[in-house]
C-alpha cells in the first residue's frame, strides 16, 4: 500500500519560506492521512479522499483557493481514473462546488463520464452538492491587481492498494486569468491516467502537458516494459523541444514510486507506511 500526492509547483521567487514549510507539512500530513485511509479502502476511494483533502486546503490551487479567470469567475476541473476497470470520469469548468473530485467520482457510474461547464454544475446540484464559493481573499486580491499567475497549480494523488489496484485523481483551479472555456489537462488522459500497470498524475502548464500527452505516454511505456524511470526520462525528454513545463508523480504495479519535474520545483509527498518523502 503506497501513496504519492502533489500540490502543484513552488516558486522560490514568489513564495515565502513560511509558505514552503506550510506546504511541506500539509502534504506530509495528507499523505499519511490518506495512507491510513488506504488500509481499509480501495485505491480508488483513497485517491478521491486524498484529493478532497488537498481541495479543502487553501494552500493549493484546487477547490478552496482556486484561481480566478479573466471574467472574475472560478471554474475548476477534476478527474479520476480506475486503473483496474480502465474507466475515467471527470468534470471540466465546474463552478461553485467545494470538491470537484467527488462529482467526478459519481460520474464513474454513468455512461456519460465527462461533463463540462453548466452541465457539470447542474449535475452536481442534482446530486446534492450545494453552491459553495471556493474563492479566498488572496485570489481576489491577485485578480484585482491583475497579477499574472505562473499557471502551474494542480493537486493529485496516485494510490496502490493492498489488492494491487492502482487509481489516480487530479484536480485544478486553473491557471488564473485564462479565457473562459479554456480546457486544462487535469480532466484529460494527458494529465491523469492509469491502468493495471501504472498510474500517473500531472501538474504544470496544461497546454504543454496536453501537447506532450504526458500521463498516457508514461503509462503506455510502462505497460510496454519500460521501467518507471525509463518511461519518465523518455517522455520528459520529448517536452524539451518546446520547453514543456510539467511535473508528474507515479506508482507502478510493483510499488515503485517515481516523480520528476521539468522545471523546479513540484511540491509532493509520499508515504508507504514506513518511509516518507517530501519536496525540499
Amino acid at each position: 500500500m503506497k501513496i504519492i500526492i502533489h500540490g502543484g509547483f513552488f516558486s522560490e521567487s514568489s513564495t515565502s519560506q513560511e509558505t514552503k514549510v506550510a506546504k511541506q507539512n500539509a502534504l506530509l500530513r495528507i499523505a499519511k492521512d490518506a495512507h491510513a485511509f488506504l488500509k481499509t479502502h480501495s485505491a480508488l476511494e483513497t485517491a478521491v479522499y486524498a484529493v478532497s483533502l488537498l481541495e479543502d486546503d487553501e494552500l493549493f490551487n484546487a477547490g478552496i483557493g482556486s484561481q480566478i479567470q479573466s471574467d472574475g469567475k472560478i471554474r475548476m476541473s477534476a478527474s479520476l481514473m480506475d486503473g483496474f476497470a480502465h474507466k475515467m470520469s471527470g468534470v471540466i469548468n465546474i463552478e461553485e462546488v467545494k470538491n470537484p473530485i467527488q462529482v467526478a467520482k459519481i460520474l464513474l457510474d454513468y455512461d456519460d463520464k465527462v461533463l463540462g461547464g453548466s452541465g457539470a454544475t447542474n449535475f452536481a446540484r442534482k446530486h446534492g452538492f450545494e453552491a459553495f464559493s471556493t474563492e479566498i481573499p488572496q485570489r481576489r486580491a491577485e485578480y484585482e491587481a491583475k497579477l499574472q499567475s505562473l499557471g502551474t497549480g494542480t493537486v493529485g494523488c496516485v494510490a496502490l492498494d493492498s489488492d494491487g489496484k492502482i487509481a489516480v485523481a487530479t484536480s485544478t483551479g486553473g491557471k488564473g486569468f485564462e479565457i473562459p472555456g479554456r480546457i486544462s489537462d487535469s480532466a484529460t488522459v494527458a494529465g491523469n491516467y492509469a491502468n493495471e500497470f501504472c498510474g500517473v498524475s500531472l501538474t504544470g502548464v496544461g497546454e504543454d502537458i496536453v501537447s506532450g500527452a504526458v500521463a498516457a505516454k508514461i503509462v503506455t511505456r510502462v505497460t510496454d516494459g519500460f521501467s518507471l524511470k525509463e518511461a519518465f526520462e523518455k517522455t520528459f525528454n520529448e517536452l524539451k523541444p518546446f520547453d514543456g513545463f510539467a511535473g508528474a508523480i507515479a506508482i507502478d504495479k510493483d510499488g515503485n514510486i517515481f516523480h520528476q519535474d521539468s522545471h523546479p520545483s513540484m511540491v509532493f509527498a509520499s508515504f508507504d507506511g514506513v518511509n516518507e518523502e517530501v519536496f525540499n
Side-chain angles (χ1 to χ4, degrees):
M1 297 187 296
K2 297 189 177 183
I3 286 281
I4 185 168
I5 60 174
H6 69 71
F9 274 78
F10 180 87
S11 171
E12 293 289 354
S13 63
S14 63
T15 308
S16 68
Q17 178 66 19
E18 181 181 5
T19 300
K20 178 179 179 179
V21 172
K23 286 187 175 184
Q24 289 172 326
N25 291 338
L27 286 166
L28 201 52
R29 170 181 51 80
I30 291 171
K32 289 182 176 181
D33 285 350
H35 189 272
F37 186 87
L38 183 60
K39 292 178 181 178
T40 54
H41 296 82
S42 69
L44 186 72
E45 293 167 327
T46 302
V48 173
Y49 175 77
V51 168
S52 294
L53 293 179
L54 289 160
E55 288 176 335
D56 290 344
D57 194 321
E58 65 181 47
L59 283 169
F60 306 106
N61 175 27
I64 298 171
S66 291
Q67 295 279 1
I68 300 173
Q69 297 190 352
S70 60
D71 62 351
K73 293 184 178 181
I74 292 173
R75 298 178 180 88
M76 302 163 288
S77 297
S79 68
L80 172 69
M81 186 153 186
D82 183 338
F84 178 75
H86 292 209
K87 290 183 178 180
M88 181 176 179
S89 61
V91 291
I92 298 171
N93 288 329
I94 195 169
E95 296 183 45
E96 294 192 314
V97 169
K98 184 181 180 184
N99 295 110
I101 194 63
Q102 294 179 17
V103 184
K105 183 176 185 294
I106 291 175
L107 280 165
L108 267 181
D109 294 328
Y110 284 75
D111 291 335
D112 302 326
K113 288 181 168 39
V114 181
L115 299 181
S118 60
T121 303
N122 291 338
F123 178 87
R125 298 288 179 265
K126 290 178 181 178
H127 287 80
F129 291 84
E130 297 180 357
F132 183 95
S133 174
T134 56
E135 182 182 310
I136 61 173
Q138 175 190 339
R139 297 302 189 207
R140 178 55 58 179
E142 290 170 352
Y143 173 78
E144 291 177 352
K146 299 187 183 298
L147 297 176
Q148 185 64 41
S149 163
L150 286 175
T152 54
T154 301
V155 303
C157 173
V158 185
L160 173 69
D161 65 26
S162 58
D163 293 326
K165 295 178 180 178
I166 298 169
V168 57
T170 307
S171 181
T172 186
K175 67 178 183 178
F177 308 104
E178 62 264 63
I179 298 170
R182 179 242 183 195
I183 305 298
S184 78
D185 66 289
S186 297
T188 75
V189 296
N192 188 78
Y193 197 67
N195 64 11
E196 63 268 41
F197 294 94
C198 180
V200 180
S201 174
L202 268 289
T203 183
V205 174
E207 286 73 11
D208 292 351
I209 293 167
V210 169
S211 295
V214 180
K217 277 185 177 178
I218 292 173
V219 172
T220 298
R221 284 167 172 157
V222 172
T223 303
D224 289 344
F226 282 56
S227 69
L228 268 182
K229 182 178 180 180
E230 292 168 340
F232 267 75
E233 182 178 10
K234 184 170 179 61
T235 305
F236 272 76
N237 280 340
E238 291 169 351
L239 293 174
K240 290 180 179 179
F242 56 95
D243 194 30
F245 197 129
I249 58 173
I251 301 177
D252 68 16
K253 65 180 180 62
D254 297 319
N256 296 305
I257 295 175
F258 202 82
H259 56 84
Q260 185 173 334
D261 48 36
S262 61
H263 296 66
S265 297
M266 177 179 62
V267 303
F268 70 91
S270 64
F271 188 60
D272 63 6
V274 177
N275 302 299
E276 62 185 51
E277 183 183 6
V278 68
F279 80 98
N280 192 353

